[in-house]
Amino acid sequence: MPAKLVIKHSETGKSFEFDLTRDEIHMGRAADRNEIVLNEGQVSRQHARIKRSGQGFTLLDLNSANGTFINGERIKEHVLRPGDVVSISKYTIEFNDTPTAPVIKYEEQKIGNTVLMRAPSELAAVIPKMDQSLVASGPTSKSLLEYVEVLRKKAETLSRIYELNQMLASDFSQEDIFKKVSEMVFRLTPADRFLVLLKDADGGHLTTVAAEFRDPASAESREHLTISKTVVDRVMAEHVSLLSFDTHSDQRLVQAQSIVMQNISSVMCAPLMSKNDVLGVVYVDCRERLKLLKEEDLDLLNAVAAETSIAVDNALTHKRLLREELARAKYRRFMPPHVVDEILASPNTLILGGTNSCITALFSDIRGFTSMSEQLRPEVVVQILNEYFADMTPIVFANDGLLDKFMGDGMMALFGVPYACDEAASNAVRAAIQMQRRMTAVNEELTAMGLSKITIGIGINTGTATVGYIGSRDRTDYTAIGDTVNLAARLEKRADPGQIIISRFTFEAIGDAFPVRPCDQIMVKGKQQPVQIYEVLWQEAIESSIKRSTKTH
């Protein structure tokens, strides 16, 4: 088990774990610069670093303004020990490490004069060759020769299986896996055809994924391959391998018309098994009556099928993990990590396509940025936007919001998606307050870099919207559309620099959780009378929060 950090916010109680699998990780406020994002104003953009040192880990403070503390003491550098508790602003970070394996010491001892060395692939060499002319004739001698020959074939099979294992050990391509397996089957058995059928992910139906022929020139059309359903069904149902030496006289396969029609003399079929289920089958047959498949061929196929099962299962797992990682990377651009984990753990709970849901939409925009950007170099404009969005995005995520999109110098976020949440409106308002509060730190950093200060206006509305994956066949985005979203965008346009405007619908949803005051009335589509809108008194909300925090402590 790798060492890990257990990170917890002292006020919200939210916690998560982070495995220390890398040689170096950073912690701080900026989402684009740190592996661990600590979303608090007193946390520096890059606050601290943990690096692997030998068998352990060392924590280094990166000259942060408010410091890094270990067990209550401020530190610059500290070798972490199991149970250490790191404090950064309102976050506590516990370091846990499992005991490492015992250290092995090597001694310089010479090898003896007699050394016997053999590669695993040379297993067949263990069975000595016997000169039949030196063995006395008789029933006993004949049995001995036959027994030795059986041992030789078994040893050769084991050698080939080792060879196959080496080939398949790091191969995640199903096409390459089956190609290698078919080459071995054709080399060691008289088989004419080699086919692999796997269950599809949807209905569990068998699909042909590989078809190889001893003589490719005489291969039948790959679009019209005929095999015995009787054989395949029995192997799939009973999870056992099957060999028929002479299919024309085998009563078990008397109903298999495909075998009779193609004049196949012998057939083998083995299941491909995962830990809990059958993945599919390997199907091999021989059409020449003088070249029958035999018992030792079935032993080989059994062994090959076992190795192939592991390789196929690994390939499927690798494909699934790769798909999940790509999805995780995509989702984490606009969803909080815990929501991404929920979606990947239970993908069926997320309804794809459009659905009507009660959501809260938040729009923010930098005031006067268009005229400002006309006087700045393009790279400076991009730098300001990157600094701004790097600070705002973690705030959305920390309040269970979904980052819908960036629109130039504006941002759209949704709350109450993809899962319904009774606190969606409150989460959105809380995020807006934190965004306005964070602008102080953003402007301090912009000023330190010689850049202009910026201000933002925010609009929030709550109501029913159509939510889902919307777009073309080539590109889709998870978003929300409808009058609820349009009104939130209108409110953002009404907001002055440093102001948060919410609709009556959001006001009713948050109750008295935040201080607000009526500020205007606007006409809303579908309403004959104007609707009251409110300003969130976010500075008073911050002062009230500080007072409550002081009383608590």
Side-chain angles (χ1 to χ4, degrees), residues 125-139:
V126 174
I127 310 299
K129 293 184 178 180
M130 296 187 67
D131 188 344
Q132 296 188 25
S133 63
L134 299 178
V135 180
S137 59

Side-chain angles (χ1 to χ4, degrees), residues 44-91:
S44 298
R45 295 185 69 80
Q46 272 199 324
H47 196 103
R49 178 179 64 184
I50 295 178
K51 67 176 184 178
R52 191 186 301 273
S53 53
Q55 297 295 319
F57 293 89
T58 300
L59 172 68
L60 299 97
D61 180 84
L62 300 178
N63 297 319
S64 65
N66 295 302
T68 302
F69 297 81
I70 294 282
N71 305 327
E73 269 186 51
R74 185 164 183 168
I75 58 97
K76 290 295 292 181
E77 183 173 337
H78 178 82
V79 176
L80 291 171
R81 300 177 181 84
D84 276 349
V85 177
V86 182
S87 297
I88 298 178
S89 182
K90 297 178 183 178
Y91 290 91

